[in-house]
Amino acid sequence: DVKKYCNLFFIIAGTGLFASQQLSDSALTTAEFDCTITQNPEKLHKKYVASTPELRLRANNQDYVYAIFRLGKSDNRIFMYIRILDKNVCIKKDQILDIQYTNGKTTSYKNDFHVNCDGVFVRKLDAEEMKKLSENTVSVIKVYTYRKNYEFLLNGSQNYNISNQLHCLSAYKIKRS
């Protein structure tokens, strides 16, 4: 169920590689509350899917590995997707992803997606998890895989975008036609 949803999500939403303009921290001073949500006419399990623009995260290593972070909504459920763009990144179901906040707290999330070597981590977020993500400043996202662990440092723009996207998706009503 989640496997089919994720595969279709990445196909429908696309994973355009680094074509859009990068934001810097200075953009926060003039940032506006912008809800750029895409809903395609295709359905998944007879349900419509909406998604936010992807955020590109750079791994904190020498290999210049990137990940795509994206939020999506289907049937009033919000999902967090992370896809690591590296070779042979195997993540098993229930594998842990840690999100560390600037206040020192860490939250661990289990992968809801099946075992895969495509670098895909999916988590269906509950209301408490969404609140924590939107109200706190994320400093690091750590993804643990079979071969190697990945650490992604987030800046102010990325934190703003995650919070903004969560608020937008929460309020967004899926169009039925």
Side-chain angles (χ1 to χ4, degrees):
D1 182 36
V2 174
K3 175 184 176 184
K4 291 178 185 177
Y5 179 80
C6 292
N7 287 337
L8 186 59
F9 178 80
F10 278 110
I11 291 168
I12 291 172
T15 57
L17 295 176
F18 313 105
S20 67
Q21 182 179 1
Q22 298 280 337
L23 294 176
S24 66
D25 283 333
S26 62
L28 285 177
T29 57
T30 58
E32 296 179 22
F33 194 75
D34 182 22
C35 290
T36 309
I37 296 175
T38 304
Q39 182 176 324
N40 292 310
E42 292 88 1
K43 292 182 182 180
L44 176 63
H45 302 295
K46 300 180 183 178
K47 295 179 182 169
Y48 291 101
V49 178
S51 64
T52 62
E54 64 189 35
L55 300 176
R56 295 172 193 97
L57 310 176
R58 182 171 169 244
N60 188 26
N61 64 16
Q62 306 300 324
D63 297 329
Y64 299 105
V65 173
Y66 290 85
I68 293 172
F69 178 98
R70 177 172 264 162
L71 297 168
K73 184 174 187 176
S74 178
D75 198 32
N76 291 323
R77 292 181 293 189
I78 295 180
F79 292 84
M80 172 179 62
Y81 303 88
I82 296 177
R83 182 173 187 185
I84 300 171
L85 304 174
D86 199 5
K87 296 176 190 166
N88 200 27
V89 179
C90 298
I91 301 174
K92 63 183 177 180
K93 185 172 175 63
D94 295 329
Q95 189 80 35
I96 300 294
L97 171 141
D98 285 337
I99 294 183
Q100 294 178 348
Y101 300 96
T102 55
N103 63 9
K105 295 186 179 181
T106 300
T107 303
S108 296
Y109 299 92
K110 287 186 178 181
N111 184 20
D112 292 333
F113 198 48
H114 66 88
V115 173
N116 72 90
C117 289
D118 299 321
V120 176
F121 182 97
V122 179
R123 174 66 181 195
K124 181 176 72 169
L125 299 172
D126 62 31
E128 183 180 317
E129 292 167 336
M130 289 187 310
K131 182 177 180 181
K132 187 177 278 189
L133 267 175
S134 67
E135 292 181 354
N136 293 287
T137 303
V138 176
S139 60
V140 180
I141 296 176
K142 293 182 180 181
V143 182
Y144 303 100
T145 69
Y146 282 118
R147 257 189 33 216
K148 136 185 191 184
N149 299 329
Y150 295 86
E151 185 175 278
F152 302 95
L153 305 177
L154 277 72
N155 63 30
S157 307
Q158 292 164 327
N159 272 287
Y160 171 81
N161 286 329
I162 290 170
S163 178
N164 181 36
Q165 291 175 358
L166 280 168
H167 289 293
C168 288
L169 275 178
S170 295
Y172 185 79
K173 301 289 185 209
I174 299 282
K175 296 174 180 70
R176 303 293 176 200
S177 57

